[in-house]
Amino acid sequence: MDNATRLQYLEAMGIDVWVPRFSADHEPASAPDAIADSAPPSELIDSWEALQAEVAPCTQCDLCKTRIQTVFGSGNKNAGWMFIGEGPGQSEDQQGLPFVGKAGQLLTEMLRAIGLDREEVFIANIVKCRPPANRDPTPVEIESCKPYLLRQLTLVKPKIIVVLGRVAAQALLNTDEPIGKLRGQIRALNGTPLVVVYHPAYLLRSLLDKRKAWADLKLAMQTVKNIKG
Ligand code: URA
């Protein structure tokens, strides 16, 4: 992407000017899976196929009664960056893909601003089914669905996790700290660095916090850069 185009994405995010000192780092589109000699028996190894086959017909919680379809997640299954939202909205429920509505458009712009395409990151949600009327998922819904996300994280093995919004951040970090405290610093989940960023749907309403979101994205970029050394 040329600099002029990137500046356009930054403008769309409400950021005036940004001159990058380094470029975002990420995995190639397809890294081969390495299988060690001492690998456990195949029936103990999780796979995308097994996980997808479990998620698609899931009836673990009552959200299955109102959903059109489950929204598994999408993107590069070997991504260096994994983005985690709260749960599907109406457009996502209809299309079966995460972040395809208005908030998704802003997420795409945020990704482009740090030099990433949607196809090269993996995007998923805490809950795989739309909560009715876009309410927050309940603790019971979160706890029944979270194992799917943790398995996705184990399969992707990202370098960094970016968590979008309070609900996802509190659920993943098992905390009730407010998002104002959770953002702005590097956390970790099972040894993987994790950065909390305001949810794009919130940023659509709260222009002032876009600057903080941009600072958090830069923190995530710097974190990935530091991992490479
Ligand atoms: N909001 C989310 O948290 N996830 C989506 O997939 C869409 C909107």
Side-chain angles (χ1 to χ4, degrees), residues 1 26 30 37 46 51-52 67 73 77 90 93 97 99 117-118 129 143 146-147 156 161 165 194 201 211 215 220 226:
M1 183 180 15
H26 46 82
S30 60
D37 288 345
D46 205 359
L51 185 53
Q52 256 164 308
R67 73 175 182 227
K77 291 174 173 157
Q90 186 177 31
D93 191 30
L97 291 167
F99 282 98
D117 282 325
R118 277 182 75 110
C129 299
E143 285 318 307
K146 209 160 89 173
V156 175
I161 301 164
L194 178 157
R211 281 190 176 277
N226 290 346

Side-chain angles (χ1 to χ4, degrees), residues 85-89 92 98-99 103 125 199:
E86 175 180 325
E92 291 76 20
F99 282 98
N125 281 305
H199 195 287

Side-chain angles (χ1 to χ4, degrees), residues 189-220:
L189 182 68
N190 299 336
T192 304
L194 178 157
V195 172
V196 176
V197 179
Y198 284 116
H199 195 287
Y202 167 76
L203 292 173
L204 287 170
R205 305 187 300 269
S206 176
L207 299 182
L208 285 179
D209 279 332
K210 280 188 171 179
R211 281 190 176 277
K212 290 184 189 162
W214 179 234
D216 294 332
L217 289 173
K218 283 197 288 182
L219 176 64

Side-chain angles (χ1 to χ4, degrees), residues 143-216:
E143 285 318 307
S144 15
C145 214
K146 209 160 89 173
Y148 293 139
L149 179 71
L150 296 178
R151 284 168 65 188
Q152 289 178 311
L153 274 162
T154 305
L155 286 164
V156 175
K157 298 186 265 332
K159 285 186 172 40
I160 189 150
I161 301 164
V162 178
V163 184
L164 302 164
R166 174 188 62 82
V167 173
Q170 290 180 340
L172 270 183
L173 296 169
N174 290 316
T175 179
D176 53 10
E177 278 181 82
I179 187 154
K181 288 225 168 100
L182 292 169
R183 61 153 297 274
Q185 51 184 298
I186 302 161
R187 306 266 176 148
L189 182 68
N190 299 336
T192 304
L194 178 157
V195 172
V196 176
V197 179
Y198 284 116
H199 195 287
Y202 167 76
L203 292 173
L204 287 170
R205 305 187 300 269
S206 176
L207 299 182
L208 285 179
D209 279 332
K210 280 188 171 179
R211 281 190 176 277
K212 290 184 189 162
W214 179 234
D216 294 332

